[in-house]
C-alpha cells in the first residue's frame, strides 16, 4: 500500500496573388482600359528599376510578353517581396525609389521625399544617397500655411496645387524650386502617424488628372501600410528575441543558478543593448522602511563603453531627496519618456545624483503590485544621441514585465529567509520548553532508565490507571528495551526522548499521554507475542508511531479543523492532524538523536514507515485499508512476502492499538468512553456557538444515547478490525473477547436504565403508527 500524499513562417499570399494577377493580365481582351485601377499601370512607361520598385504596390500590365520568355528576376523579382520579411529594412531607401517611380509614371519634372521626425516636429529632405548615415539633413519645421510639404505633414491631407506661384496659402511654395504644379501626398500609417511626404511637381502648367491623383493616393496608402507592417514586424522580432534572452536569465535565477546581483546586472546589460542606451539602472523600493524617506537599493550596469561583467550594487539611495526621474516615477507610479532633460522643468539638475550621469534623455518605468510601486527601471541617454522612441517604449514595457517577476521573487525570497530564521528562533524556544526537567531525568536514570512493570503488565487487561501515571516514562522505556534488547537505543537518549514525547501531549480528556501509553502498550504486546514477523525497521516504526501518534492533539477532529479554517487545515489537504503528529514526531526524533546508532538507510526507512503508520490512525484511511485486507483474509490469500499485504496489516495494527481502550475491562473502557464524550461535547458546544448543528455523538443534549452509540461503534468499527487481526494473529483473541464483553455490558447498561436500544426504523414506524391512531381517533370523534 502506498503512502497517501529562426523565425515564424511568413505568408506571402497577398504578394503572390499580385504576381498571379499581373500574369493573367496579358490574357485579357484588347479593349480593356490601360488603367482600370490603381493596381494597373501601362508597362511601356516603366523601366526595369521601376517595375522592381512598384511591384509591392501595383500590378503590372504585360503587353507582348510570351509566357516562355519570362525569366526569374528580369521582370518581377520575387526577392523584392522578401525585402519586407527581412530583419532590417531600409524603409527610407525603398520610399525614395518609390518616389522616383511615381515621378516617371506621372510625367512629373521632379519629386521630393520628406521623412517626418516626430521628436523634433520636423520634416527632413531625403537625398539620393540614402544609405549614407552621415548625409546632410535639411530640416523644415512642421507647420501650416508656409511650405506645402510642411503643411501636408501637419494636416495629413494631400494637396493638388495647380498654380504654385499664385497660391497665396503658401508663401514659400515648394521651398526648393519654382514649379508650376505640385501634388503633395502624405504617407500615413494605419495608426494615423504621418511617416513621410511625397511631393511631385511639374515645371510646365499641366495639372495632374484624376487617374494620376488616384494612383498616387493608392501607392501612398500602400506605402503607409507597408511601413507600418515593417516597423511592427521588426518590433515583434526584437521583442521575441528579448523574451528569449530574459527567459533564459530568469530560468537560471529561479533555479538558484545565479545571484540577484548577477541576475539584475545581466538583465540591465540585455535591455541596454536592445534599446541602445548608454546606461541602465534598477531600483528596488524598500517597503519596510519606516523613516518616511523613499529608500531603494540600486543596481547599475555602468556606461555602455564599460566591458566589466562584475555585478555592481551601489549603496542605498534616497529617491525623495532630489527631484530625479526615478524619484518622480517612484512617487507617481507613471512611466515617463524625457526627450530633452535640459528643457524639462521637472528636473533642475543636469547630473542625476543617484547615478552620477549627465542626463540628456531617459526612459523610466515603474514596477507595480497591488499595493503600489515596488521598483523602478531607468534607461539613460541613447548612443545615437536621439530621444527614446515609441518602439523603445514598447520593448521597455516587455522588460519591465520581467522585472516585476524578479522583484516579486526577490520579495518572496526575503520573506522566506525571514520566516526561516523566525522558525529557527521558535525552534530554539520550543526545544527549551521541550527539554525534560532535570529532576525527572535524574529520577528515571536512577533505575537505569526503566522500572519493573506490575505483574499483569503483559495482559491486554492492563491499564495505567491501575497504577501510578508517574511510572509511564519508565514503563515506556521498559517496553522499548524489552522489544529491542537494548541494542539500538541508548538508555539516556531513550529516557530523554520518552519524557519529551509524553510532555508534548496536551491535557485533553482523551487524547492525552495516557491514551498514547495505552496505544503503545497494546502494540508492544502484539509485537512481542508475535515476534519475528516484522523486521527491526518495521517494529521500531510501529512502536515509535504508537507513542507519537497523537502528539499535540488539540482535542478536535479533522472535520472541525476544516470547519474553522485552522492553520493545519490550510497546510494539508487531508488527515491534517495525522500529518501534524508525524511532523512533530520526526522533529523530536531528530532533535534528540534517538536513531543515532541506526544506519542512515534504516533511519530513513523508519521515518517513512512512521509516516504511513501514523496516517493509518485516521479512521477515513482505516476503512480503505479494511476494505482491501478483508478479501485477502477471507480467501486465505494473505502473503507475508508481499509488501502491500504487510502494509495493510500494519494499518490494522495501528487502528487496533488506537481503539484498544474499548478492549479493556468494562469499568476501564466505560471511563475511557466518558473521556471521549467529554472531548466530543466540548467540540459540539463550539460548533453550536458557530451556528452549526453538531453530530449526535457530539451533541451534549443527546447524551442519553451514549450506550446505544457505543454498541453501534463497537459493531461497525472495532469488532471488524479485531476479527481481521485475529485471523492473522490468533493470539490476539483476548482483545476480541474483551470487546464483545464490553458490548454486552453496554446492553446491560441500557436495560439498567430501563431504555430500549434506539433504532431509526422502529422510531419512524412508531411515530407513523401514532399519527395513524390519532387520526383514527379524530375520525371516530
Amino acid at each position: 500500500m502506498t503512502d497517501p500524499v529562426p523565425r515564424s513562417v511568413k505568408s506571402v499570399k497577398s504578394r503572390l496573388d499580385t504576381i498571379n494577377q499581373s500574369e493573367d493580365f496579358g490574357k485579357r481582351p484588347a479593349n480593356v482600359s490601360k488603367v482600370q485601377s490603381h493596381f494597373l499601370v501601362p508597362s511601356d512607361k516603366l523601366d526595369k528599376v521601376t517595375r522592381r520598385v512598384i511591384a509591392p504596390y501595383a500590378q503590372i500590365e504585360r503587353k507582348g510578353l510570351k509566357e516562355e520568355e519570362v525569366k526569374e528576376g528580369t521582370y518581377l523579382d520575387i526577392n523584392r517581396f522578401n525585402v519586407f520579411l527581412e530583419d532590417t529594412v531600409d524603409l527610407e531607401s525603398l520610399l525614395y525609389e518609390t518616389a522616383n517611380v511615381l515621378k516617371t509614371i506621372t510625367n512629373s519634372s521632379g519629386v521630393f521625399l520628406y521623412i517626418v521626425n516626430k521628436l523634433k516636429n520636423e520634416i527632413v529632405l531625403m537625398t539620393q544617397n540614402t544609405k549614407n548615415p552621415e548625409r546632410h539633413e535639411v530640416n523644415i519645421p512642421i507647420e501650416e500655411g508656409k511650405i506645402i510639404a510642411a503643411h501636408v505633414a501637419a494636416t495629413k491631407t494631400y494637396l493638388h496645387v495647380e498654380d504654385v506661384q499664385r497660391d497665396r496659402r503658401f508663401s514659400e511654395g515648394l521651398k526648393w524650386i519654382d514649379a508650376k504644379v505640385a501634388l503633395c501626398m502624405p504617407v500615413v500609417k494605419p495608426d494615423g502617424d504621418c511617416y513621410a511626404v511625397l511631393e511631385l511637381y511639374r515645371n510646365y502648367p499641366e495639372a495632374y488628372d484624376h487617374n494620376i491623383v488616384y494612383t498616387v493616393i493608392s501607392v501612398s496608402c500602400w506605402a503607409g501600410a507597408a511601413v507600418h507592417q515593417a516597423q511592427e514586424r521588426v518590433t515583434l522580432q526584437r521583442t521575441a528575441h528579448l523574451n528569449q534572452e530574459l527567459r533564459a536569465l530568469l530560468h537560471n535565477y529561479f533555479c538558484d543558478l545565479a545571484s540577484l546581483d548577477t541576475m539584475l546586472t545581466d538583465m540591465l546589460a540585455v535591455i541596454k543593448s536592445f534599446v541602445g542606451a548608454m546606461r541602465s539602472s534598477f531600483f528596488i523600493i524598500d517597503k519596510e522602511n519606516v523613516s518616511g524617506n523613499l529608500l531603494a537599493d540600486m543596481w547599475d550596469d555602468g556606461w555602455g563603453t564599460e566591458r566589466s561583467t562584475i555585478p555592481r550594487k551601489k549603496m542605498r539611495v534616497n529617491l525623495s531627496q532630489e527631484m530625479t526621474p526615478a524619484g518622480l516615477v517612484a512617487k507617481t507610479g507613471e512611466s515617463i519618456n524625457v526627450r530633452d532633460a535640459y528643457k524639462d522643468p521637472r528636473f533642475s539638475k543636469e547630473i542625476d545624483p543617484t547615478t552620477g550621469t549627465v542626463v540628456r534623455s531617459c526612459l523610466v518605468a515603474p514596477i507595480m503590485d497591488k499595493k503600489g510601486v515596488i521598483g523602478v527601471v531607468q534607461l539613460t541617454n541613447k548612443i545615437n544621441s536621439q530621444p527614446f522612441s515609441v518602439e523603445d517604449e514598447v520593448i521597455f514595457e516587455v522588460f519591465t514585465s520581467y522585472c516585476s517577476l524578479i522583484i516579486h521573487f526577490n520579495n518572496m525570497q526575503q520573506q522566506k529567509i525571514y520566516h526561516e530564521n523566525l522558525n529557527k528562533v521558535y525552534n530554539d524556544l520550543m526545544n527549551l520548553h521541550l527539554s525534560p526537567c532535570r529532576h525527572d531525568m535524574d529520577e528515571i536514570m536512577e533505575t537505569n532508565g526503566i522500572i519493573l512493570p506490575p505483574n499483569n503488565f503483559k495482559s491486554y487487561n492492563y491499564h495505567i490507571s491501575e497504577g501510578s501515571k508517574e511510572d509511564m516514562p519508565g514503563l515506556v522505556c521498559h517496553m522499548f528495551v524489552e522489544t529491542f534488547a537494548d541494542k539500538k537505543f541508548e538508555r539516556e537518549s531513550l529516557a530523554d526522548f520518552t519524557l519529551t514525547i509524553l510532555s508534548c501531549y496536551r491535557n485533553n480528556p482523551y487524547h492525552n499521554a495516557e491514551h498514547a501509553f495505552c496505544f503503545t502498550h497494546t502494540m508492544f504486546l502484539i509485537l512481542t507475542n508475535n515476534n519475528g514477523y516484522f523486521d527491526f525497521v518495521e517494529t521500531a516504526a510501529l512502536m515509535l508511531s504508537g507513542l507519537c501518534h497523537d502528539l499535540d492533539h488539540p482535542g478536535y477532529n479533522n472535520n472541525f479543523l476544516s470547519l474553522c479554517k485552522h492553520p493545519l487545515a490550510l497546510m494539508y489537504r487531508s488527515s491534517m492532524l495525522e500529518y501534524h503528529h508525524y511532523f512533530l514526531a520526526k522533529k523530536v526524533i531528530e532533535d534528540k538523536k534517538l536513531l543515532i546508532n541506526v544506519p542512515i538507510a534504516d533511519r530513513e526507512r523508519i521515518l517513512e514507515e512512521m509516516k504511513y503508520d501514523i496516517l493509518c490512525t485516521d479512521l477515513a484511511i482505516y476503512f480503505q485499508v479494511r476494505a482491501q485486507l478483508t478479501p485477502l483474509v477471507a480467501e486465505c490469500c494473505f502473503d507475508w512476502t508481499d509488501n502491500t499485504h504487510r502494509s495493510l496489516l500494519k494499518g490494522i495494527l495501528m487502528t487496533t492499538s488506537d481503539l484498544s481502550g474499548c478492549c479493556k475491562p468494562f469499568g476501564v473502557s466505560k471511563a475511557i468512553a466518558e473521556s471521549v464524550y467529554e472531548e466530543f461535547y466540548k467540540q459540539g458546544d463550539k460548533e453550536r456557538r458557530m451556528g452549526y448543528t453538531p453530530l449526535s455523538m457530539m451533541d451534549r443534549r443527546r447524551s442519553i444515547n451514549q450506550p446505544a452509540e457505543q454498541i453501534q461503534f463497537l459493531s461497525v468499527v472495532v469488532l471488524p478490525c479485531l476479527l481481521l487481526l485475529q485471523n492473522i494473529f490468533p493470539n490476539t483473541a483476548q482483545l476480541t473477547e474483551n470487546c464483545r464483553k464490553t458490548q454486552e455490558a453496554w446492553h446491560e447498561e441500557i436495560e439498567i436504565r430501563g431504555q430500549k436500544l434506539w433504532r431509526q426504523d422502529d422510531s419512524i414506524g412508531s411515530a407513523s403508527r401514532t399519527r395513524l391512531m390519532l387520526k383514527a381517533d379524530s375520525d371516530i370523534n
Side-chain angles (χ1 to χ4, degrees):
M1 184 174 180
T2 59
D3 188 359
V5 202
R7 290 156 54 176
S8 304
V9 177
K10 301 177 177 63
S11 173
V12 293
K13 182 177 185 300
S14 60
R15 300 181 178 84
L16 294 178
D17 288 345
T18 303
I19 297 171
N20 295 333
Q21 290 168 5
S22 64
E23 290 174 348
D24 293 340
F25 182 76
K27 304 176 183 178
R28 297 184 181 182
N31 59 354
V32 177
S33 173
K34 289 185 179 180
V35 182
Q36 291 186 345
S37 73
H38 56 282
F39 290 110
L40 293 174
V41 180
S43 61
D44 57 355
K45 294 186 177 181
L46 301 179
D47 55 20
K48 292 183 180 180
V49 175
T50 302
R51 295 191 191 106
R52 181 171 61 88
V53 174
I54 200 67
Y57 310 122
Q59 294 181 12
I60 309 301
E61 178 188 357
R62 303 171 60 189
K63 290 186 178 180
L65 185 63
K66 296 181 181 179
E67 184 174 354
E68 60 272 12
E69 294 177 359
V70 177
K71 295 181 180 179
E72 182 179 357
T74 59
Y75 180 70
L76 197 61
D77 188 359
I78 191 66
N79 292 326
R80 192 59 184 174
F81 295 100
N82 294 334
V83 72
F84 288 100
L85 305 179
E86 297 298 328
D87 290 338
T88 57
V89 179
D90 191 349
L91 294 174
E92 297 174 1
S93 174
L94 186 60
L95 282 174
Y96 190 84
E97 293 183 28
T98 301
N100 283 297
V101 168
L102 289 175
K103 169 192 169 185
T104 302
I105 65 175
T106 60
N107 292 321
S108 297
S109 302
V111 64
F112 293 122
L113 173 64
Y114 299 92
I115 301 299
V116 175
N117 187 334
K118 289 180 59 180
L119 300 178
K120 296 182 178 180
N121 196 36
E122 296 174 340
I123 55 175
V124 182
L125 177 64
M126 295 296 299
T127 60
Q128 185 174 1
N129 189 14
T130 58
K131 295 183 178 180
N132 182 7
E134 299 179 355
R135 61 180 176 266
H136 178 66
E137 290 186 354
V138 180
N139 306 325
I140 302 174
I142 296 176
E143 57 184 344
E144 299 181 26
K146 288 187 178 181
I147 301 175
I148 296 177
H151 180 90
V152 169
T155 61
K156 301 178 185 177
T157 304
Y158 83 93
L159 284 176
H160 182 196
V161 183
E162 297 182 1
D163 192 341
V164 176
Q165 296 176 355
R166 296 184 180 181
D167 196 318
R168 296 184 178 180
R169 293 176 297 174
F170 310 105
S171 57
E172 299 184 31
L174 298 188
K175 180 70 175 178
W176 315 112
I177 193 169
D178 294 330
K180 303 295 182 180
V181 180
L183 178 59
C184 199
M185 193 70 58
V187 178
V188 181
K189 298 191 296 181
D191 59 7
D193 286 341
C194 182
Y195 180 79
V197 176
L198 292 172
E199 190 175 59
L200 299 164
Y201 64 90
R202 288 175 174 174
N203 292 328
Y204 53 91
E206 180 183 343
Y208 293 97
D209 62 25
H210 174 73
N211 288 332
I212 290 179
V213 173
Y214 187 68
T215 300
V216 175
I217 290 175
S218 301
V219 172
S220 298
C221 290
W222 278 105
V227 168
H228 179 75
Q229 181 186 12
Q231 290 178 337
E232 288 295 310
R233 183 178 61 257
V234 171
T235 301
L236 286 174
Q237 289 173 346
R238 293 180 66 192
T239 302
H241 188 191
L242 179 62
N243 272 312
Q244 183 178 359
E245 294 289 336
L246 295 180
R247 281 200 304 268
L249 290 174
L250 288 180
H251 179 268
N252 290 333
Y253 179 50
F254 290 155
C255 295
D256 293 330
L257 300 178
S259 66
L260 178 64
D261 290 354
T262 303
M263 178 66 200
L264 291 178
T265 305
D266 289 346
M267 287 187 67
L268 291 173
V270 168
I271 189 60
K272 188 172 69 173
S273 173
F274 266 77
V275 177
M278 296 182 65
R279 202 178 189 99
S280 53
S281 306
F282 194 104
F283 302 83
I284 296 182
I285 307 298
D286 183 6
K287 306 298 288 188
E288 303 297 328
N289 170 51
V290 294
S291 65
N293 293 322
L294 194 59
L295 302 180
D297 293 323
M298 186 190 76
W299 284 260
D300 185 25
D301 187 54
W303 290 104
T305 56
E306 295 179 6
R307 298 297 181 185
S308 174
T309 58
I310 301 176
R312 287 175 286 279
K313 178 184 176 182
K314 289 196 174 182
M315 299 297 292
R316 288 163 67 88
V317 296
N318 189 347
L319 296 177
S320 57
Q321 283 185 349
E322 303 286 348
M323 186 56 69
T324 62
L328 179 63
V329 171
K331 294 174 184 176
T332 62
E334 297 180 358
S335 301
I336 59 173
N337 185 354
V338 182
R339 304 184 187 280
D340 191 344
Y342 294 96
K343 298 179 180 179
D344 198 316
R346 294 173 295 181
F347 314 111
S348 57
K349 292 187 177 182
E350 297 178 356
I351 298 178
D352 187 341
T354 58
T355 62
T357 308
V358 177
V359 179
R360 293 191 304 271
S361 61
C362 63
L363 188 59
V364 192
I367 302 171
M368 309 284 291
D369 67 359
K370 60 183 180 181
K371 295 182 180 179
V373 180
I374 57 177
V376 176
V377 186
Q378 176 175 331
L379 298 179
T380 306
N381 298 347
K382 292 199 71 171
I383 296 175
N384 59 8
S385 301
Q386 294 294 320
F388 291 95
S389 64
V390 175
E391 181 186 351
D392 295 333
E393 293 179 11
V394 173
I395 295 175
F396 196 49
E397 185 178 356
V398 174
F399 177 74
T400 55
S401 65
Y402 281 94
C403 291
S404 65
L405 295 178
I406 291 292
I407 294 186
H408 282 296
F409 186 76
N410 178 68
N411 290 341
M412 289 175 60
Q413 289 288 83
Q414 295 301 320
Q415 288 292 321
K416 176 186 174 185
I417 294 173
Y418 170 79
H419 287 290
E420 283 178 350
N421 287 281
L422 185 64
N423 285 336
K424 290 179 182 179
V425 174
Y426 288 155
N427 183 59
D428 292 341
L429 180 63
M430 188 175 72
N431 287 337
L432 175 65
H433 290 279
L434 287 181
S435 299
C437 175
R438 189 71 254 173
H439 171 77
D440 293 337
M441 276 294 296
D442 293 342
E443 185 175 349
I444 196 173
M445 291 307 298
E446 285 179 0
T447 59
N448 201 16
I450 59 174
I451 63 173
L452 294 177
N455 295 331
N456 64 340
F457 188 73
K458 293 196 174 183
S459 168
Y460 289 112
N461 292 335
Y462 173 79
H463 192 260
I464 190 63
S465 58
E466 299 177 4
S468 173
K469 295 182 181 180
E470 295 178 355
D471 294 338
M472 281 196 300
L475 291 174
V476 168
C477 292
H478 167 78
M479 288 188 283
F480 273 84
V481 171
E482 189 80 7
T483 304
F484 303 105
D486 202 20
K487 294 180 181 179
K488 300 291 184 181
F489 302 102
E490 296 179 357
R491 300 238 173 151
E492 186 171 356
S493 297
L494 182 61
D496 187 8
F497 170 76
T498 302
L499 288 170
T500 301
I501 289 295
L502 293 177
S503 67
C504 287
Y505 280 88
R506 301 189 188 188
N507 190 25
N508 296 319
Y510 174 69
H511 289 100
N512 49 35
E514 182 180 332
H515 167 66
F517 179 87
C518 178
F519 187 119
T520 308
H521 177 253
T522 303
M523 181 65 74
F524 162 72
L525 293 181
I526 295 174
L527 293 176
T528 52
N529 291 336
N530 299 277
N531 191 24
Y533 286 97
F534 298 106
D535 61 21
F536 165 75
V537 169
E538 293 172 307
T539 305
L542 287 168
M543 287 293 290
L544 290 172
S545 297
L547 186 62
C548 304
H549 81 285
D550 272 336
L551 276 181
D552 193 43
H553 197 293
Y556 307 103
N557 62 15
N558 285 324
N559 289 332
F560 183 79
L561 297 185
S562 298
L563 197 65
C564 64
K565 297 181 180 180
H566 190 277
L568 288 176
L570 302 177
M571 293 170 61
Y572 307 107
R573 294 183 178 180
S574 61
S575 304
M576 290 79 78
L577 286 172
E578 288 70 27
Y579 274 109
H580 180 56
H581 304 326
Y582 167 72
F583 169 78
L584 290 180
K586 180 173 179 289
K587 173 174 175 47
V588 176
I589 288 173
E590 292 173 347
D591 288 351
K592 298 299 180 181
K593 296 180 172 53
L594 180 68
L595 303 178
I596 191 67
N597 295 329
V598 178
I600 296 177
D602 289 347
R603 199 182 309 169
E604 294 176 352
R605 277 189 59 208
I606 288 174
L607 293 175
E608 284 299 316
E609 288 272 336
M610 284 184 63
K611 183 178 182 180
Y612 169 78
D613 294 342
I614 293 177
L615 286 176
C616 284
T617 60
D618 185 351
L619 286 182
I621 295 179
Y622 154 70
F623 286 111
Q624 300 173 19
V625 172
R626 193 177 82 179
Q628 296 179 64
L629 185 60
T630 299
L632 296 177
V633 173
E635 298 170 10
C636 299
C637 297
F638 185 84
D639 185 1
W640 280 100
T641 62
D642 191 321
N643 289 330
T644 301
H645 295 187
R646 296 170 70 90
S647 295
L648 294 174
L649 175 58
K650 284 181 278 189
I652 293 298
L653 270 175
M654 293 297 294
T655 304
T656 299
S657 301
D658 200 14
L659 302 177
S660 60
C662 302
C663 306
K664 302 297 180 184
F666 182 64
V668 176
S669 64
K670 182 180 180 181
I672 292 176
E674 290 174 350
S675 299
V676 172
Y677 276 109
E678 184 180 348
E679 208 168 278
F680 280 176
Y681 291 155
K682 180 182 177 183
Q683 176 176 323
D685 293 342
K686 281 201 169 187
E687 289 180 357
R688 193 180 298 280
R689 287 195 295 270
M690 293 168 63
Y692 298 98
T693 301
L695 299 175
S696 177
M697 291 187 69
M698 297 183 176
D699 194 345
R700 193 181 301 275
R701 301 173 184 178
R702 301 184 183 183
S703 60
I704 195 172
N705 295 327
Q706 284 184 11
E709 290 168 348
Q710 282 299 298
I711 293 172
Q712 292 173 349
F713 180 75
L714 294 173
S715 301
V716 174
V717 179
V718 183
L719 275 172
C721 180
L722 297 175
L723 290 172
L724 268 178
L725 183 64
Q726 184 179 337
N727 273 276
I728 299 176
F729 292 143
N731 55 15
T732 60
Q734 185 182 354
L735 291 170
T736 308
E737 182 181 352
N738 287 353
C739 183
R740 294 190 187 279
K741 290 180 179 179
T742 300
Q743 195 175 32
E744 293 173 2
W746 282 115
H747 277 286
E748 293 176 0
E749 186 80 11
I750 292 176
E751 293 176 359
I752 292 174
R753 296 187 183 185
Q755 298 175 356
K756 185 171 69 173
L757 178 62
W758 178 81
R759 294 179 184 173
Q760 187 175 12
D761 294 340
D762 293 344
S763 300
I764 293 175
S766 300
S768 301
R769 286 193 297 271
T770 302
R771 286 195 293 271
L772 289 173
M773 291 176 62
L774 291 174
K775 186 177 185 301
D777 291 340
S778 63
D779 292 341
I780 294 173
N781 295 332

